[in-house]
Amino acid sequence: MKVPCDVVCEREMPESFNKVPEVTLAFWIIKIAATTLGETGGDTVTMTLNWGYLAGTALFLAALVLLVCLQIMAKKFHPFLYWATIIASTTFGTTMADFADRSLGVGYTGGSSILLFCLLATLGLWYWSLGSISVDTVSTPKAEVFYWAAITFSQTLGTALGDWMADSTGLGYEGGALVFGAALAVVAAAYFWTNISRVTLFWTAFILTRPLGATVGDFLDKPRDHGGLALSRPLASAILAAFILGCLLIFPQRAGVHPDQPGIVRKWRSLEPGSSE
């Protein structure tokens, strides 16, 4: 069939099987809030409720495993399930990093190095196995397992980096937040004004939002003599949870687009007169 020049054609394609959200500004706002909640929530259980790092880590690991299983079994993208899993990964990352750094005596530098290796190994194995580590390809159980493993390692690494920046360098929580905020600004600038791989920029930003949230969370709930505001951890956690819930209700949450099965209407424009379909 002949299609006149400049005529837009539309064809409905199958709905995406991707179960992770579009990466938009709303995504990053909720992500930073979730990582901050992970810090205050983890500290609430391990410190305020006196569960300790080991029991807190076990609790949040159980929640994370359950939610990841539910996420993998789901047939489509569920915003509340997805972000509950993210929050579980970030609270587990908080308690796990604290347990390794303080209870096991690994230290911030050692813990960060080990976790960086684990994250890079996971991403490398994911790429070797499936040919891509783009979140736009998370549409099979195998890809989801790699995705959530990478997410969890990045969350735990971010906690260790945040503590290392605040304590070991002497910058404190405010200084650490400024450093990681500036680093995220550089990543954003690279996204808009360079051709650096979007996949690389995504994972860089994803890692950096965690220590930003960790330092902000510590700044909110740590004692004043440790450079914090000494706010109530449960109260700060409740406010952050309410903020995230509000964002999920206000901002549109759609599944990301899989390259092979786009969940949008595909449009294309004929380039030459007389082109046929």
Side-chain angles (χ1 to χ4, degrees), residues 20-21 27 71 77-86 147-148:
V20 300
F27 173 90
Q71 177 77 10
F77 171 62
H78 297 283
F80 291 96
L81 175 59
Y82 175 84
W83 286 108
T85 311
I86 288 290
Y147 174 79
W148 287 110

Side-chain angles (χ1 to χ4, degrees), residues 107-109 162-172:
Y108 298 133
T109 303
D163 289 339
W164 174 80
M165 182 64 71
D167 296 339
S168 299
T169 65
L171 288 175

Side-chain angles (χ1 to χ4, degrees), residues 115-128 146 153:
L115 289 165
L116 177 60
F117 173 80
C118 292
L119 174 60
L120 293 177
T122 300
L123 293 174
L125 184 60
W126 181 2
Y127 185 83
W128 175 81
F146 280 120
F153 280 128

Side-chain angles (χ1 to χ4, degrees), residues 3-9 268-276:
V3 182
C5 183
D6 295 329
V7 173
V8 177
C9 302
W268 68 95
R269 192 175 296 273
S270 176
L271 298 178
E272 296 179 355
S275 62
S276 59

Side-chain angles (χ1 to χ4, degrees), residues 180-261:
F180 291 118
L184 280 171
V186 171
V187 173
Y191 175 83
F192 287 109
W193 294 306
T194 74
N195 293 321
I196 296 175
S197 165
R198 287 347 189 205
V199 175
T200 301
L201 291 176
F202 170 83
W203 284 108
T204 301
F206 200 96
I207 293 169
L208 288 173
T209 53
R210 181 62 186 103
L212 175 62
T215 51
V216 172
D218 282 336
F219 177 66
L220 293 175
D221 65 28
K222 295 302 182 188
R224 285 190 171 85
D225 58 356
H226 285 71
L229 295 179
L231 299 180
S232 165
R233 295 185 185 105
L235 178 59
S237 299
I239 292 173
L240 288 164
F243 175 78
I244 293 170
L245 179 61
C247 288
L248 292 177
L249 294 174
I250 294 171
F251 295 123
Q253 294 283 303
R254 294 183 294 269
V257 178
H258 188 285
D260 296 323
Q261 294 183 336

